Amino acid sequence: MWSLLQTNLLLFILLYSYFSSAVASPLFPSSCQLQRQFHLNGIHKSGDVILGGLFQVHFFSSVADLSFTSQPQQPTCHGFYELGFRQAQTMAFAIDEINRNSNLLPNVTLGYTLYDNCVTLGIGFRAALSLASGQEEKIILDNRCTGNLPVIGIVGDSSSTHSIAISNVLGLYRVPMVSYFATCSCLTDRQKYPSFFRTIPSDAFQVRAMIQILKHFGWTWAGLLVSDDDYGLHAARSLQSDLSLSGEGCLAYFEILPWDKDMDELRRIVNVMKKSSARVVIVFAHHSRIVNLMEEVVRQNLTGLQWMASEAWTEATVLQTPQLMPYLGGTLGIAIRRGEIPGLREFLLQIRPDLHHNNSYGNSMVRFWEFTFKCRFAPAPTGWVEGRGTLCTGEEDLDNVDSEFLDISNLRPEYNVYKAVYALAYSLDDMLRCKPGRGPFRGHSCATLQTLEPWQLIYYLEMVNFTTPFGDQVSFDENGDVVPIYDVMNWVWLPDGNIKIQTVGEVKRSAFRGEELILDEDKIFWNFESKKPPRSVCSESCPPGTHMVRKKEEPKCCFDCIPCSEGKTTNKSNSLECTSCPEDFWSNPQRDHCVPKKTEFLSYHEPLGICLTATSLLGTFICVIVLGIFFYHRRTPIIRANNSELSFQLLLSLKLCFLCSLLFIGRPRLWTCQLRHAAFGISFVLCVSCILVKTMVVLAVFKASKPGGGASLKWFGAMQQRGTVVFLTAIQAAICTAWLVSSSPFPHKNTLYHNDKIIYECAVGSTVGFAVLLGYIGMLAFLSFLIAFLVRNLPDSFNEAKLITFSMLIFCAVWVAFVPVYISSPGNYADAVEVFAILASSFGLLITLFGPKCYIIILRPELNTKKAIMARRNGTQKIFHIQ
């Protein structure tokens, strides 16, 4: 903000001082006269059309005393910059080449006026105003201050700050300005800078190129250093914005390099870099700012960093020294596209100070000659000759000098200058080829060289499209930006100590592929022991199976990796959240993908299921054996004395009880769920009904043995016994039918007990129905137990009341214990508990009711006689055989 304020203030002062001086003097009513003329270093060549140029030929400027007690002197420049001078000569060469081209601007000779801005805004602004308005001391044109502009377009300025200031003014007059080095993305604003164009990509593209390199190597944690000017600050804003939008990385720190050599501030910045975990440092600054920084880096011996250079210092030779290579070796930088300009070296060799020097435009050629040959033109400064200094003759041979000036193997800013000149020339050529009546202006008119307005050339400049001899297409988009392309450079520290800056890739944008990064990684020199790219992350990537949780009050690239909770997974790295598995799936131990849940039910293949199945079949087999024994011995007294028909019915019902338990084993199906409880309920009611009828028959027989009790037996004949059993069983069948019709049991996937398991079970459907079913069985069992208990002490030595009492006691105990255990048993254990209850109660009835009889029949046959039975009678009671 302070830099922008300074720029605007300087703009106002210069504009006011310049234009207030160019007034119509009352002493000269027929002329316009400049009250003051700027003394600028420059080179001039006349022509039909003049192009202007602004270049950095000197590094520094000095201003005389500004006490205003006398007329202020003009600023002077010093510190010759031979590459800036080569850029100016490239423009001169391009214009000379165009003049020799009969197909481009035929019959029109281009001239040029090139000024030195001395890397100072004030001088650059003076030069731009001089180009736009001319330096003639007096113009006499029919008593009017009118006429064509001295230049139709300007190539420059190189600095973004200078270009912003100058374009603010020249844009008011729509004077086209084509910069070859100003990269600030702010200059794409057509509302503020309507006449600005450039042949170098904007920082917006350079920033995106940087981000692509960061992404390519997985560098998500980097530091940012920028210069305190429009170039650095706009690049910082663009980088921060693009990183935030893309999510490709974060800035560990952001520091602004001081303008002057503020050692305290530089020491603080280097300390920040040293403490940071970021191994990558991005720098958007001019090399003059980085020189001061590197002094402190060397002093603190801060190594192990991967530097990323913006185009402003990627090829700065002042930093390519053996002393700095331990720190800057391996630097990756964005560089302007390299080009080839055939014939440029031959043109540079023809330079002679006596041919190009013009006193009215300063002494840049003299400065260049003296700088190159380390000599001085006469008159030499005092003490020069005495100090054995040589005098320049102007005839020295440039070809004998080992100078960077003649090294055209790496033309980058010069190539942009070359393209800028040709862009203006092709625009002018298109304009002059316009046919009257078919022009783009009002009334389909065309612009002519004599009536040319600057805005008319801008129209053609926006439409220009040509290809350079090097094969690059040149055209401008709606913002005045050229088709972007950058080279990716690498600073190689050779074993012999020499330094080589080599191209290792390019970043470009095309209509078909968009922005594209191409890198030859095998050529990249890494200044690390591993000879591999460094790791620069705040937090390591979260592996699959974990998700990122951002650390509090830290950038989003700093996070903890938290494992996904059970039932959630992620198969990607750096996932923000975990995804829940589908209903029938569960997370694997690594939490990186979902696997089908384990299924669990009372299976025939697991030990518990096998044991219960074997026990059920054993019980069924025993029932068959007992039934066979009873059938075989059906005419023996012990069988006939205990109501053989009910005994057979009881054995058949017990067999069904044993078999119905098999319906509880295996994967639940709809039919098994519906059948298991119905079969269980009906089988046990049939069994208990038989026992109840047996008990009632014993009681009836006992009463009939007493005087006057014979009438009680007529209600318990064979038909009544069968009818009672059928009736009681029919009630249970009706209960089961109502239950199945209203809300029948069904297969159910139970995940209540284990999230990672699916327990297949039969849901009862209606709890009331199930309770009524069990309650009815319990009621009959309790009634049987009660009656049997009452008649347990009858005098008949072989009545079954005691055995029935004991069996019902076991039966009731089993099922009373079953209810709470069944309710509290998880999953398939509930089925196992129910099967166990069925088997336990069935075995209890089988053993207690039929065990003693089988014992007598098989082991004590002598007791299975009528005489033995009669001998066991106590008293005189009769034995009644109920058929």
Side-chain angles (χ1 to χ4, degrees):
M1 180 61 71
W2 174 243
S3 175
L4 185 61
L5 184 62
Q6 287 181 315
T7 300
N8 292 335
L9 182 61
L10 184 58
L11 266 172
F12 175 77
I13 296 173
L14 289 171
L15 281 171
Y16 179 80
S17 63
Y18 185 81
F19 287 107
S20 63
S21 64
V23 297
S25 173
L27 299 177
F28 303 96
S30 61
S31 67
C32 295
Q33 180 175 346
L34 289 175
Q35 291 190 353
R36 193 174 184 208
Q37 191 176 40
F38 295 139
H39 297 290
L40 302 166
N41 295 325
I43 307 172
H44 175 73
K45 181 179 180 180
S46 59
D48 300 329
V49 178
I50 304 297
L51 299 181
L54 299 173
F55 298 94
Q56 299 178 356
V57 180
H58 291 84
F59 276 122
F60 309 104
S61 64
S62 58
V63 181
D65 178 45
L66 295 178
S67 62
F68 298 103
T69 56
S70 60
Q71 181 177 354
Q73 296 181 359
Q74 298 280 356
T76 58
C77 300
H78 55 91
F80 190 79
Y81 182 40
E82 61 177 338
L83 295 184
F85 182 71
R86 186 174 69 181
Q87 294 165 15
Q89 290 300 314
T90 301
M91 180 172 178
F93 165 76
I95 291 177
D96 183 70
E97 187 178 63
I98 292 169
N99 288 335
R100 290 185 279 107
N101 187 347
S102 59
N103 296 320
L104 183 61
L105 290 175
N107 303 319
V108 175
T109 301
L110 290 180
Y112 55 79
T113 298
L114 314 180
Y115 284 136
D116 176 16
N117 62 20
C118 299
V119 200
T120 304
L121 176 58
I123 296 176
F125 202 90
R126 287 181 175 93
L129 292 178
S130 298
L131 291 172
S133 61
Q135 285 265 52
E136 291 84 354
E137 294 186 7
K138 196 172 187 179
I139 304 174
I140 303 176
L141 291 170
D142 298 330
N143 298 326
R144 293 176 299 158
C145 290
T146 61
N148 291 333
L149 290 173
V151 296
I152 63 167
I154 297 175
V155 175
D157 198 323
S158 60
S159 165
S160 292
T161 300
H162 295 187
S163 296
I164 291 170
I166 295 170
S167 293
N168 267 315
V169 175
L170 297 188
L172 299 175
Y173 302 98
R174 303 300 191 264
V175 177
M177 179 176 177
V178 185
S179 176
Y180 54 91
F181 212 69
T183 59
C184 181
S185 57
C186 58
L187 288 165
T188 58
D189 189 343
R190 272 337 236 181
Q191 298 300 319
K192 291 184 178 180
Y193 314 105
S195 62
F196 180 81
F197 299 82
R198 53 183 160 193
T199 54
I200 184 173
S202 76
D203 282 337
F205 181 73
Q206 182 178 191
V207 164
R208 290 195 294 273
M210 290 277 196
I211 293 176
Q212 287 202 48
I213 295 175
L214 292 175
K215 180 181 179 181
H216 180 83
F217 292 109
W219 297 332
T220 60
W221 190 235
L224 177 63
L225 306 178
V226 300
S227 54
D228 189 13
D229 53 20
D230 295 293
Y231 170 74
L233 297 178
H234 277 89
R237 281 194 289 269
S238 181
L239 182 65
Q240 289 174 312
S241 175
D242 287 1
L243 279 177
S244 177
L245 291 175
S246 66
E248 299 296 344
C250 306
L251 294 181
Y253 53 86
F254 167 42
E255 299 292 341
I256 299 175
L257 299 176
W259 273 93
D260 53 0
K261 196 172 183 179
D262 186 344
M263 295 309 300
D264 291 336
E265 179 65 10
L266 290 172
R267 189 177 301 109
R268 185 193 66 80
I269 292 174
V270 174
N271 285 332
V272 170
M273 297 168 62
K274 181 181 291 187
K275 294 178 181 178
S276 174
S277 60
R279 296 294 88 198
V280 175
V281 183
I282 304 171
V283 184
F284 280 89
H286 298 284
H287 58 78
S288 57
R289 307 288 175 263
I290 301 173
V291 169
N292 297 333
L293 173 69
M294 292 312 299
E295 290 182 7
E296 184 62 24
V297 168
V298 173
R299 193 186 70 79
Q300 296 196 29
N301 193 29
L302 179 56
T303 59
L305 296 179
Q306 175 63 48
W307 296 79
M308 293 185 66
S310 67
E311 39 73 35
W313 66 280
T314 292
E315 296 190 291
T317 55
V318 68
L319 295 171
Q320 300 168 21
T321 63
Q323 293 75 21
L324 294 180
M325 278 303 100
Y327 309 93
L328 292 177
T331 295
L332 287 174
I334 300 295
I336 303 168
R337 173 72 165 174
R338 188 190 70 85
E340 294 181 2
I341 306 177
L344 177 60
R345 191 174 191 279
E346 291 72 17
F347 178 84
L348 297 177
L349 287 172
Q350 296 176 6
I351 293 175
R352 291 293 182 273
D354 56 334
L355 297 178
H356 296 269
H357 178 58
N358 188 322
N359 287 331
S360 63
Y361 289 96
N363 53 4
S364 295
M365 294 298 300
V366 171
R367 293 281 182 85
F368 162 70
W369 206 260
E370 292 179 342
F371 175 84
T372 302
F373 294 102
K374 304 297 186 291
C375 62
R376 293 291 183 269
F377 281 98
T382 304
W384 176 260
V385 177
E386 291 77 0
R388 297 185 179 182
T390 59
L391 294 176
C392 300
T393 64
E395 298 299 327
E396 289 83 359
D397 189 358
L398 286 172
D399 204 14
N400 295 330
V401 178
D402 183 14
S403 170
E404 190 178 5
F405 179 77
L406 295 174
D407 181 10
I408 62 169
S409 61
N410 195 32
L411 299 176
R412 297 183 187 276
E414 294 82 1
Y415 187 48
N416 284 347
V417 171
Y418 185 79
K419 291 188 289 186
V421 174
Y422 266 88
L424 289 169
Y426 272 106
S427 301
L428 185 60
D429 184 68
D430 292 342
M431 184 193 73
L432 296 180
R433 293 179 185 275
C434 176
K435 296 181 180 179
R438 300 177 62 180
F441 306 118
R442 180 176 297 179
H444 301 290
S445 62
C446 295
T448 64
L449 207 57
Q450 292 74 25
T451 62
L452 173 64
E453 295 288 343
W455 58 266
Q456 293 174 319
L457 186 61
I458 292 176
Y459 171 83
Y460 287 97
L461 195 57
E462 290 176 341
M463 304 296 177
V464 74
N465 193 336
F466 65 95
T467 302
T468 67
F470 191 58
D472 289 332
Q473 182 183 2
V474 179
S475 62
F476 300 104
D477 62 15
E478 65 277 6
N479 297 319
D481 289 328
V482 74
V483 177
I485 184 170
Y486 273 118
D487 288 338
V488 181
M489 311 301 293
N490 180 226
W491 291 25
V492 181
W493 191 13
L494 299 174
D496 59 4
N498 291 326
I499 300 142
K500 177 184 177 183
I501 309 298
Q502 66 177 4
T503 303
V504 295
E506 65 180 16
V507 188
K508 60 183 178 181
R509 184 171 66 199
S510 62
F512 302 102
R513 297 186 178 181
E515 295 177 4
E516 183 180 12
L517 171 65
I518 301 173
L519 281 179
D520 185 356
E521 293 192 46
D522 293 335
K523 294 175 61 177
I524 299 178
F525 168 75
W526 302 106
N527 194 26
F528 303 95
E529 291 184 4
S530 64
K531 302 302 178 184
K532 294 180 180 179
R535 289 285 295 165
S536 186
V537 294
C538 181
S539 299
E540 291 294 336
S541 298
C542 289
T546 63
H547 67 285
M548 298 188 302
V549 176
R550 183 174 171 181
K551 293 182 179 179
K552 190 176 181 181
E553 298 181 355
E554 291 192 29
K556 62 182 180 181
C557 295
C558 301
F559 48 82
D560 293 319
C561 298
I562 306 300
C564 295
S565 58
E566 289 188 346
K568 294 185 176 182
T569 64
T570 173
N571 57 2
K572 298 179 180 179
S573 299
N574 290 339
S575 295
L576 295 176
E577 60 183 13
C578 301
T579 306
S580 297
C581 291
E583 182 180 1
D584 292 344
F585 289 80
W586 194 248
S587 56
N588 66 335
Q590 292 75 31
R591 307 285 198 273
D592 56 1
H593 67 277
C594 295
V595 295
K597 288 182 178 179
K598 296 178 181 178
T599 57
E600 189 174 281
F601 53 87
L602 191 57
S603 171
Y604 290 107
H605 304 292
E606 62 182 30
L608 181 59
I610 293 172
C611 290
L612 294 176
T613 301
T615 305
S616 175
L617 295 177
L618 177 63
T620 304
F621 179 72
I622 293 174
C623 286
V624 172
I625 297 297
V626 173
L627 185 62
I629 293 172
F630 270 52
F631 182 78
Y632 183 77
H633 297 279
R634 64 186 179 279
R635 300 190 185 278
T636 60
I638 196 168
I639 302 298
R640 293 172 62 84
N642 289 281
N643 200 335
S644 60
E645 183 177 343
L646 284 177
S647 295
F648 284 120
Q649 291 179 3
L650 183 57
L651 283 171
L652 289 173
S653 64
L654 283 174
K655 182 180 177 181
L656 292 176
C657 290
F658 280 116
L659 291 175
C660 79
S661 65
L662 297 177
L663 294 172
F664 291 84
I665 304 173
R667 181 165 178 169
R669 311 284 183 184
L670 179 60
W671 69 272
T672 58
C673 289
Q674 292 175 338
L675 185 59
R676 63 167 58 170
H677 289 104
F680 155 70
I682 293 172
S683 298
F684 268 89
V685 164
L686 179 61
C687 178
V688 176
S689 297
C690 292
I691 295 173
L692 178 61
V693 171
K694 260 180 172 288
T695 308
M696 294 175 67
V697 168
V698 170
L699 180 61
V701 170
F702 174 71
K703 288 184 177 181
S705 66
K706 293 181 179 181
S712 60
L713 282 177
K714 67 179 181 180
W715 298 105
F716 286 95
M719 290 300 295
Q720 287 82 358
Q721 294 174 36
R722 297 188 194 106
T724 303
V725 171
V726 171
F727 176 74
L728 294 176
T729 305
I731 293 175
Q732 183 73 311
I735 293 173
C736 292
T737 302
W739 180 20
L740 294 177
V741 171
S742 62
S743 180
S744 68
F746 57 90
H748 172 62
K749 297 177 182 179
N750 189 344
T751 57
L752 181 63
Y753 302 109
H754 302 283
N755 291 326
D756 59 339
K757 292 181 182 179
I758 298 177
I759 300 176
Y760 286 99
E761 61 183 13
C762 287
V764 296
S766 172
T767 306
V768 174
F770 187 47
V772 171
L773 181 145
L774 290 178
Y776 183 65
I777 297 174
M779 182 190 71
L780 294 179
F782 178 75
L783 186 59
S784 299
F785 169 75
L786 182 61
I787 295 173
F789 181 78
L790 292 175
V791 299
R792 71 187 184 282
N793 293 320
L794 292 179
D796 188 357
S797 64
F798 203 76
N799 79 76
E800 291 184 289
K802 292 181 179 180
L803 298 178
I804 292 173
T805 302
F806 187 60
S807 66
M808 286 297 100
L809 185 63
I810 295 174
F811 184 89
C812 292
V814 169
W815 286 103
V816 168
F818 160 77
V819 174
V821 176
Y822 178 83
I823 293 173
S824 62
S825 297
N828 60 345
Y829 292 105
D831 291 337
V833 167
E834 190 165 358
V835 172
F836 179 81
I838 293 172
L839 296 177
S841 58
S842 298
F843 272 110
L845 294 175
L846 179 63
I847 294 172
T848 56
L849 293 177
F850 295 98
K853 298 180 181 66
C854 290
Y855 172 77
I856 292 174
I857 292 171
I858 298 172
L859 300 178
R860 300 292 299 273
E862 68 275 9
L863 298 178
N864 190 12
T865 61
K866 185 175 180 181
K867 181 180 180 181
I869 294 174
M870 294 297 291
R872 293 172 61 87
R873 295 174 58 195
N874 295 321
T876 60
Q877 298 182 13
K878 299 179 180 179
I879 301 299
F880 294 90
H881 299 279
I882 308 301
Q883 299 297 328

